[in-house]
Amino acid sequence: MNELAKKRGKAILIDTVISSVISFALEPLLKKNTKSSFVYTVVSPSVIFWGLEYAQLRLSGQTVGQKLMSIEVQNENGGEPTPEQILKRMVHRDTVSPIVYLKDRTYYDAYEGEKFPHDLYSHTMVKELN
């Protein structure tokens, strides 16, 4: 695994920890206001994670984890990804992307961490910042 791929992994881990802390903090409030445990154990963490990621990418172009790892999501032309690209990227990454990656890992290794299946699908890439 190359350096950029490692940074991407660390960034998503950082973002997941932040999202989990927020989900955990909101859980008592959600328990009080919803009767279904499915909402606060499954739906809420996903919505919070995606919401935080979407908001951060739209507002500053990077998540907290990406800032700490000095990487950035860009469109294929090097500019900011569109809202549609961000949504496509998140949904694909959290659904079919892992299966597609594991099926043909050597194909994606050729991109040296810049593109994973969800990046190809959404026409985005990840670049290291200087």
Side-chain angles (χ1 to χ4, degrees), residues 19-48:
S19 176
S20 296
V21 168
I22 292 170
S23 293
F24 184 72
L26 292 176
E27 188 174 324
L29 177 66
L30 292 171
K31 279 183 179 180
K32 191 185 303 183
N33 294 322
T34 58
K35 294 179 183 181
S36 172
S37 64
F38 181 77
V39 171
Y40 57 82
T41 56
V42 177
V43 175
S44 172
S46 298
V47 169
I48 290 170

Side-chain angles (χ1 to χ4, degrees), residues 15 18-19 22 48-67 86:
D15 293 335
I18 292 168
S19 176
I22 292 170
I48 290 170
F49 183 79
W50 283 6
L52 284 172
E53 181 177 7
Y54 181 83
Q56 290 175 81
L57 288 174
R58 289 291 296 143
L59 293 173
S60 67
Q62 295 172 288
T63 64
V64 171
Q66 291 167 353
K67 284 180 186 176
I86 294 169

Side-chain angles (χ1 to χ4, degrees), residues 51-118:
L52 284 172
E53 181 177 7
Y54 181 83
Q56 290 175 81
L57 288 174
R58 289 291 296 143
L59 293 173
S60 67
Q62 295 172 288
T63 64
V64 171
Q66 291 167 353
K67 284 180 186 176
L68 292 173
M69 293 296 111
S70 299
I71 59 175
E72 180 180 65
V73 176
Q74 301 175 352
N75 65 30
E76 289 179 327
N77 299 325
E80 290 184 21
T82 65
E84 294 81 17
Q85 285 177 307
I86 294 169
L87 288 173
K88 285 173 74 173
R89 184 176 190 278
M90 291 187 311
V91 171
H92 196 276
R93 180 197 60 220
D94 293 345
T95 55
V96 298
S97 187
I99 297 165
V100 173
Y101 178 77
L102 290 174
K103 188 175 171 184
D104 195 7
R105 184 176 173 183
T106 55
Y107 174 77
Y108 297 102
D109 287 346
Y111 288 106
E112 298 182 349
E114 281 190 358
K115 292 188 179 194
F116 285 148
H118 52 279

